[in-house]
């Protein structure tokens, strides 16, 4: 499959459903199949090669397509067993603080997080604290896959209590490249997916991540968040506000408006936006979706800010000499005339607060292009 000329891939949730189906088939028949099909939420059928590891353990290797997904190549592993009606706790599986991590899907089937699969430790994710980090759509996909096994239905699981343990070798290392730690997911990656398909460079996935981070902060009762546009601005933000809980720091990219609205809905009443001149200039112009393909820096806004601040002529001229805010920023800094930058921050603050009808009070901080220091604020 392709999307915009790029090859799509499969989510960890889809791979987990395929591995679970193969492992359970092996448990019931004594042989793990080399190929299985599962159903996506859309109703489409997709097939996967399976690597058997014994009679009831199966591996499906994740292919993320052309997306730079840190879990590309992950060996999503499922092991199926039958437990007694009142089983003793399973042996520790990864994080020893959660030795028996389970979730019912269906009521007669327990999904257990093994090594490399995360455990939820904070509210706000729509999953119980202590549960495996297996999101609702993958849960449903797993259940659907299990009930597709020939001759098997939920009732046949009732007496034998099916247990499926998921594991991902190197999953803990992969998780370090995600926001899992900040969201309170420990021990490994999450089993994710809403469509079953990974679309390369998906803005929908990024947006969903922003929303999830805001929800977790709100569920923990935080009343303040810090919205950073990227890794450099986030580094500056953590240095600026070192006493805030890490869950409060959200890398929003271009989704400032989405983050602010979600914060307002979550009962968060204060936000600090930390960014560089380009994003802040777009906010100053009233643009809350700041992707460079959708909006451009408005030189007239820069010039107006320079004039309103009484800046030198060279600063006013720099506003329209190029199409970048960086040139204007560097001119202001080199001449020691940063008042126009403060003005831009104030205008950006007004845009952000208006976006939530005043429900969230916003501070705007402009940092330099190295993310090393604060240059202006409003």
């Amino acid at each position: 499959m392709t999307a915009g000329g790029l090859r799509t891939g499969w989510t960890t949730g889809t791979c987990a459903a395929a591995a679970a189906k193969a492992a359970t088939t092996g448990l019931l028949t004594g042989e793990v199949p080399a190929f299985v099909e599962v159903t996506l939420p859309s109703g489409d059928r997709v097939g996967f090669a399976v690597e058997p590891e014994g009679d009831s353990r199966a591996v499906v290797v994740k292919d993320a397509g052309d997306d730079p997904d840190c879990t590309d190549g992950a060996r999503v592993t499922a092991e199926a067993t039958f437990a007694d009606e009142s089983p003793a706790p399973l042996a520790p599986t990864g994080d020893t603080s959660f030795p028996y991590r389970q979730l019912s899907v269906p009521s007669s089937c327990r999904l257990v997080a093994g090594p490399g699969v995360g455990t939820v430790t904070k509210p706000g994710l729509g999953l119980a604290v202590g549960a495996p980090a297996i999101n609702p759509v993958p849960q449903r996909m797993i259940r659907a896959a299990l009930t597709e096994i020939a001759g098997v239905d939920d009732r046949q699981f009732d007496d034998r209590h099916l247990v499926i343990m998921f594991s991902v070798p190197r999953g803990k290392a992969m998780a370090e490249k995600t926001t899992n730690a900040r969201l309170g997911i420990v021990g490994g990656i999450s089993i994710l997916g809403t469509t079953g398909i990974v679309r390369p460079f998906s803005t929908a996935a990024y947006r969903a991540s922003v929303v999830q981070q805001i929800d977790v902060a709100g569920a923990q009762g935080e009343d303040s968040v810090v919205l950073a546009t990227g890794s450099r601005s986030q580094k500056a933000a953590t240095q600026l506000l070192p006493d805030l809980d890490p869950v409060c720091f959200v890398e929003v990219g271009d989704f400032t408006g989405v983050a602010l609205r979600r914060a307002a809905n979550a009962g968060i009443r204060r936000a600090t936006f930390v960014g560089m001149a380009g994003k802040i200039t777009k906010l100053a112009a009233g643009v809350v979706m700041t992707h460079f393909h959708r909006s451009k820096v408005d030189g007239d806004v820069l010039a107006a800010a320079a004039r309103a601040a009484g800046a030198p002529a060279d600063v006013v001229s720099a506003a329209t000499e190029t199409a970048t805010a960086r040139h204007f920023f560097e001119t202001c800094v080199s001449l020691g005339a940063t008042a126009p930058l403060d003005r831009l921050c104030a205008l950006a603050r007004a845009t952000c607060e208006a976006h939530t009808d005043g429900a969230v009070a916003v501070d705007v901080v402009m940092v330099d292009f190295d993310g090393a220091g604060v240059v202006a604020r409003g």
Side-chain angles (χ1 to χ4, degrees):
M1 298 174 66
T2 60
L6 296 174
R7 193 168 57 88
T8 59
W10 308 112
T11 63
T12 48
T14 302
C15 296
K21 181 176 182 179
T24 304
T25 300
L27 177 67
L28 297 172
T29 67
E31 183 177 359
V32 172
F35 181 86
V36 294
E37 288 188 347
V38 295
T39 304
L40 299 177
S42 65
D44 292 338
R45 300 280 290 175
V46 293
F48 291 88
V50 177
E51 296 181 21
E53 290 188 349
D55 295 338
S56 59
R57 183 179 171 94
V59 177
V60 172
V61 179
K62 177 177 174 175
D63 178 0
D66 289 329
D67 193 72
D69 189 327
C70 68
T71 61
D72 184 41
R75 295 177 61 81
V76 181
T77 305
E79 183 171 10
T81 58
F82 283 123
D84 296 333
E85 184 171 355
S86 300
L90 301 180
T93 55
D95 186 334
T96 56
S97 63
F98 294 92
Y100 188 43
R101 297 175 285 165
Q102 64 181 51
L103 191 64
S104 294
V105 188
S107 59
S108 54
C109 174
R110 294 200 309 275
L111 304 188
V112 179
V117 174
T119 296
V120 176
T121 67
K122 295 180 181 179
L125 292 169
L127 299 171
V129 172
I134 304 175
N135 279 18
V137 171
Q139 290 178 37
R140 292 195 291 271
M141 291 180 68
I142 292 165
R143 174 174 181 164
L146 295 179
T147 56
E148 288 177 0
I149 298 171
V152 176
D153 60 31
D154 285 359
R155 288 169 298 178
Q156 290 180 275
F157 293 143
D158 285 341
D159 295 334
R160 293 190 283 182
H161 305 284
L162 181 66
V163 177
I164 300 178
M165 183 175 73
F166 294 97
S167 58
V168 177
R170 297 184 56 253
K172 192 169 184 178
M174 293 175 185
E176 292 175 357
K177 300 177 182 179
T178 72
T179 59
N180 273 15
R182 191 180 308 157
L183 296 174
I185 298 171
V186 301
I189 65 170
S190 302
I191 305 299
L192 299 172
T194 54
T195 65
I197 300 170
V198 173
R199 301 190 183 280
F201 306 99
S202 169
T203 55
Y206 199 115
R207 183 187 189 280
S209 174
V210 170
V211 167
Q212 187 179 59
Q213 290 179 72
I214 295 289
D215 285 350
V216 170
Q220 288 191 192
E222 299 290 348
D223 63 1
S224 179
V225 291
V226 181
L227 311 180
T229 56
S231 58
R232 287 174 294 170
S233 57
Q234 181 155 288
K235 178 181 177 182
T238 56
Q239 293 171 346
L240 180 65
L241 298 163
D243 295 331
L244 275 183
D245 190 306
V247 77
C248 298
F249 293 85
V250 181
E251 190 173 317
V252 297
D254 297 304
F255 294 100
T256 304
V258 169
L260 288 168
R261 289 276 188 168
R262 195 71 177 194
N265 291 338
I268 293 168
R269 293 294 170 253
R270 187 160 204 88
T272 301
F273 179 90
V274 181
M276 297 173 191
K279 301 290 189 187
I280 289 175
T281 299
K282 292 177 182 181
L283 288 172
V287 178
V288 293
M289 176 56 180
T290 56
H291 192 280
F292 72 96
H293 285 315
R294 300 192 183 189
S295 61
K296 296 181 180 179
V297 169
D298 190 337
D300 291 338
V301 171
L302 297 175
R307 294 190 188 99
D314 286 350
V315 171
V316 177
S317 297
T320 53
E321 283 175 347
T322 72
T324 69
R326 182 165 188 156
H327 175 65
F328 180 77
F329 171 88
E330 290 175 345
T331 302
C332 289
V333 172
S334 67
L335 295 175
T338 58
L341 304 178
D342 290 326
R343 172 71 176 164
L344 290 173
C345 289
L347 292 170
R349 181 189 70 227
T351 295
C352 292
E353 291 184 342
H355 193 65
T356 64
D357 297 322
V360 180
V362 181
D363 293 322
V364 175
V365 177
M366 185 184 295
V367 295
D368 61 29
F369 282 86
D370 294 324
V374 174
V375 178
R377 61 194 314 158

